[in-house]
Amino acid sequence: MKYINKIGVILSAGLVLAAVSCTDYSDYNTVPTVFVENQPGANNTLWENISSDQQLTKFAALASKCNFSEALNSSRFYTVWAPVDAAISDSEFNRLMASDSATIVKQFMQQHVTEYNYPVSAALDSTTIVSLNDKHHPFTQSAFDGFSYNAINLPSNNGVMHKINGLSEFYLNIYENIDSLEGCDLVKNYIQKYDEYYLDVNASVIGPLKDGKQTYLDSVMKKRNNVINKIIYAKLDDEDSTYCMLVPNDKAWEDAYAKIHPCYNYIEKMDYMDLTKKTGAASTLAATTAKADVPAETTTTILQDSLTCSNLVENLVFSNSYQRNQLFFGKGSSASKDTVFSTSGTYLKNAQAMLDHTVAVKEMSNGITRVVDSLTFNPWETYNPVRVKSGPDVAMKVKRLTQHNIPLENLAGRDSLFATVPKMFRQWLFPNTSQFFSYVAADSANIDGTTGKPEFNFALKGVRSTTYHIYVVTVPAQVENPEAAVKPYYLRFYLSWTDDSNKQQYTVLPQGAKTTSKITTDNGETTSTVTYLSNPGGVNVIDLGEFTFPACYYGLDAYPSLMMMHTESYTSAANRRKYDQEMRVQGVYLVPKEYNDLWVNSDNE
């Protein structure tokens, strides 16, 4: 259905509605008796009647030019809505006559013709006609596609014709429009690269079997696109759907490409610390070194480009069926509806900014396109999301980890527990999809030995080659047991990561922090560490500062790992009474620098 329908007009005076309803498909080639008895020309073909009608000389000339006259002269039954000569301007007629046959057939002939019998009748309710080129047209007692009738129910032995006082304007659908984009060559070329043609078996005419293989007397080839089907997830060629597609011009594409591309900097080889094979003492850095299955150098370049482009197009299309997307269709208020929902399943804020960067709007047969000179969606909502790790992958000197799920109703009125939690973390600590506050704990009963110091190891999978602000959220015993003794614990953190020359590195977090103690690895290395005092009695968000990963891990088996340890000894009973031996962690958060800066600045305003 066209996004904007023309307004219907009143039925022309003097026309009589025949009391004939639309037939079903089984009688598509049967001429209604009322036509044969009451109308001249009923025994002629559609082409014979059209070619002899002095009001349809332009229609006839166009049909002859593209050989559609043969179809109108065949035994196949059609309904034709034929524009009279006065409805076709000389300029439009000359443009069509100068076009190739395929263009005339698709944009004019098939636009005004459909199969089967569709007479105008007193019983006709407003309906939608699908023409031969798969376009949709409103059909009523008074008009076709908004144009009044000049004459109706003119019978032929292979169809029925209505003459209309207007030219049904042909609109490309959004998919077809991609091929005709101007000034948007970069997005066009990327999508077109994944066009593929296939045989439409249902539309083809089956022929005989030859050598055990099916042949076709008339093979109908159609086109599909894997970027649209498998990345954008939209049926842009479906005339029954309505979409808005944002089309970045070349400047917008280049700017977005330059921002996304560095996030996917792959290296040819990548060694990493595989936590699934880690053995030995809790305080050791020694681990089994694994090798990630990283493609060859030429392939990594292709992969980086491919992921950059797929991220660029992933959130360009929005369905009209989602209420918040009405903003892109010229409806709704930006003040209350600035979040939209793409066909790839992503919620995106800042939609009004996209409208502000719209440089052209074009109507399509199944929606609209908006050419934009900038893609302003937030990177953390698209190509550079927040990485969240909810629990450790390995816990050293721990027999068993326990998952705790505290009903939110149990935390009502206990705001002091979260007094130091920044506003940014509320969305992650209390997601709308859960009625619980959840965390993982190493209960003292499950720690090897009363003096054991558990160590948590987190595999930070899916990390891009970008700068993150790293946070760890710890939980006090009071969340579950308000009467528990208030005890702090002292922690240290370090990061295992791979540099861009494939050398494993170990870094204290935050980088450049004052050293308070040291740790020696099984490899004989000495690593500086820093001590953190937890917020006793409250949920504590530990800020580990910024870190830039030089290589991308996204899509690989490889990952950097974060280690979290106690610094205090539990050898003495005094220390066990003074410090919290159990570690409770709600999650590890890698927040992209841009997102973190936005929140910090907003909190400081």
Side-chain angles (χ1 to χ4, degrees), residues 273 278 282-286 455 491-497 504-531 547 561-567:
M273 186 171 64
K278 183 173 174 62
S283 61
T284 179
L285 287 175
E455 169 189 326
L491 302 170
R492 62 183 174 220
F493 299 87
Y494 56 90
L495 185 71
S496 170
W497 54 284
Q504 280 189 270
Q505 303 286 352
Y506 301 99
T507 300
V508 176
L509 294 180
Q511 292 175 294
K514 181 180 179 181
T515 299
T516 59
S517 59
K518 296 181 180 296
I519 181 171
T520 301
T521 74
D522 282 358
N523 296 327
E525 300 167 336
T526 300
T527 305
S528 299
T529 63
V530 63
T531 298
F547 187 84
S561 54
L562 179 71
M563 296 187 179
M564 171 180 174
M565 297 178 176
H566 281 286
T567 61

Side-chain angles (χ1 to χ4, degrees), residues 570-584:
Y570 292 93
T571 303
S572 68
N575 271 4
R576 291 196 295 273
R577 288 192 299 269
K578 183 177 180 181
Y579 304 115
D580 196 342
Q581 187 179 8
E582 302 179 18
M583 285 202 297
R584 307 170 196 83

